Amino acid sequence: MDNKNFIAKRVALMLNDGDVINLGIGLPTLVANHIPAGINVTCHAENGIIGSGGHAEPGHEDFNVFDAGGMYINTVPGATYIHSADSFGIIRGGHINATILGALQVDEKGNLANWTVPGKKVTGMGGAMDLVASAKLVICAMEHTAKGNPKILKECTFPLTGAGVVDLIVTEMGVIRVTESGLVLEEIAAGYTVEQVQAATGAELKAADDLKVIQFCD
């Protein structure tokens, strides 16, 4: 299993039956492919789809159905299409149980930077600002480093999407919880040591007393 699907599969196990979730563009969209059997969740796309699914297979795209990142997707039976204003009403009304987002940087205070790199032209941060401010749980699903550089830092250097908003960080190395006293490594991927995870992290990590190895049922 590649890193991105490993991360997505671990995030999927954090979801609860009946949850309404929002999946950010990129890696987080893979979460829809790993939701365990018997867990019924509703995926929300902020451009106006309730009941979105995974990526459409090449050659089977409906060119009228795409997510907020412009990727062609499937929908589940009973999916509903709504106005984007109503979609953001759902977000701002606090009806999203969890939002799973990618990140350029996350820091030890739970600050999130995921929309722009200084000096690069961008169109805007989309719905991320509303999602991190309103969702009950904010999970960052991302690879641990970028070109060998840590993405989990003592302090973000890129413009923030939200301050103090991140609850959990899931990478190919482990699961990290943001707490008032710093970052706690709660689970570690098989094959890694705590020292290796710390070396790839730009902030201090505390290993949980009951540190577990990430395991899947299958």
Side-chain angles (χ1 to χ4, degrees):
M1 187 186 309
D2 62 35
N3 284 347
K4 291 183 178 180
N5 278 287
F6 178 89
I7 295 165
K9 189 169 185 177
R10 180 63 192 91
V11 171
L13 293 177
M14 297 177 173
L15 305 178
N16 300 304
D17 192 54
D19 277 352
V20 177
I21 65 170
N22 181 282
L23 304 177
I25 63 174
L27 190 160
T29 61
L30 297 174
V31 172
N33 299 327
H34 295 285
I35 296 171
I39 299 296
N40 180 29
V41 303
T42 299
C43 293
H44 164 273
E46 65 262 33
N47 56 320
I49 304 175
I50 302 173
S52 59
H55 290 165
E57 293 293 329
H60 297 277
E61 303 95 336
D62 181 336
F63 296 108
N64 294 307
V65 182
F66 47 86
D67 63 17
M71 299 294 295
Y72 295 113
I73 60 172
N74 300 311
T75 56
V76 301
T80 301
Y81 302 89
I82 60 176
H83 194 286
S84 61
D86 296 318
S87 181
F88 274 83
I90 290 171
I91 296 170
R92 295 168 184 168
H95 303 294
I96 302 297
N97 296 101
T99 184
I100 298 104
L101 300 170
L104 297 169
Q105 297 177 339
V106 183
D107 69 26
E108 64 183 11
K109 295 182 177 65
N111 297 327
L112 168 66
N114 80 336
W115 71 284
T116 186
V117 175
K120 289 192 175 182
K121 184 177 180 180
V122 294
T123 55
M125 68 172 63
M129 179 175 65
D130 298 88
L131 286 161
V132 298
S134 304
K136 296 180 177 69
L137 180 68
V138 176
I139 302 171
C140 282
M142 65 181 197
E143 292 185 283
H144 208 96
T145 62
K147 298 180 179 180
N149 298 313
K151 295 173 67 176
I152 304 171
L153 306 172
K154 187 171 183 62
E155 184 175 356
C156 290
T157 59
F158 294 165
L160 296 185
T161 307
V165 294
V166 177
D167 298 299
L168 290 163
I169 307 165
V170 182
T171 79
E172 77 278 11
M173 290 187 173
V175 177
I176 298 168
R177 185 175 297 277
V178 180
T179 74
E180 292 184 357
S181 57
L183 301 175
V184 178
L185 181 65
E186 294 188 334
E187 299 181 27
I188 191 168
Y192 288 102
T193 65
V194 173
E195 290 74 21
Q196 287 174 317
V197 180
Q198 178 63 78
T201 306
E204 183 178 354
L205 290 176
K206 176 184 177 182
D209 293 337
D210 60 344
L211 179 65
K212 300 177 178 64
V213 175
I214 294 175
Q215 294 182 336
F216 301 117
C217 293
D218 55 6

